[in-house]
Amino acid sequence: MAKENVFLKNLKEQNLIDDREIVVMADVSATNGNRGRAFVLLNGTELSFYAAAGFAELGQLIETIDLKQAKFLKGSSFILHTTMKLECNGVVYSLQGFSQAAMFIEAVKGSCGF
């Protein structure tokens, strides 16, 4: 029997993620000045960035972007250098160093409007 992931269960109960259960931690930098290590949550077409308050604790919400307004620029699931870049409302977001790269990139790419 598989053990339930309490962290994911709590995020779903708070309606922060959908049934795909896509949550990664990544090094994020944006041309609006935001940068740092953050939890990245995908819920439908909303991509949210949260500060980390611990290994499995969400901190303050930093920013949420609507992927319907975003353009996927590029992504790489190469295990030694996972990267993704997208643009939304004139801001370019670069993410690096995340796990489950192929699944994450494909989900974000499929949710982008452009």
Side-chain angles (χ1 to χ4, degrees), residues 20-21 30 35 39 62 72 81 89:
R20 296 176 290 181
E21 296 183 343
R35 72 173 354 111
F39 280 109
I62 299 167
F72 182 86
H81 189 65
N89 298 322

Side-chain angles (χ1 to χ4, degrees), residues 12 17 33 36 40 44-45 47 49 78 89 93 100:
K12 282 178 78 172
I17 60 173
V40 183
T45 60
L47 193 67
F49 302 96
F78 179 63
N89 298 322
Y93 299 86
Q100 303 175 5

Side-chain angles (χ1 to χ4, degrees), residues 37-87:
R37 191 98 173 128
F39 280 109
V40 183
L41 287 64
L42 183 60
N43 187 10
T45 60
E46 288 188 344
L47 193 67
S48 299
F49 302 96
Y50 282 86
F55 182 69
E57 287 271 331
L58 290 186
Q60 177 181 358
L61 174 64
I62 299 167
E63 187 171 1
T64 298
I65 61 173
D66 183 1
L67 292 176
K68 292 182 285 187
Q69 305 295 318
K71 179 179 181 183
F72 182 86
L73 300 176
K74 64 180 176 177
S76 171
S77 59
F78 179 63
I79 195 159
L80 297 177
H81 189 65
T82 56
T83 63
M84 182 171 56
K85 191 176 275 193
L86 50 102
E87 184 268 329

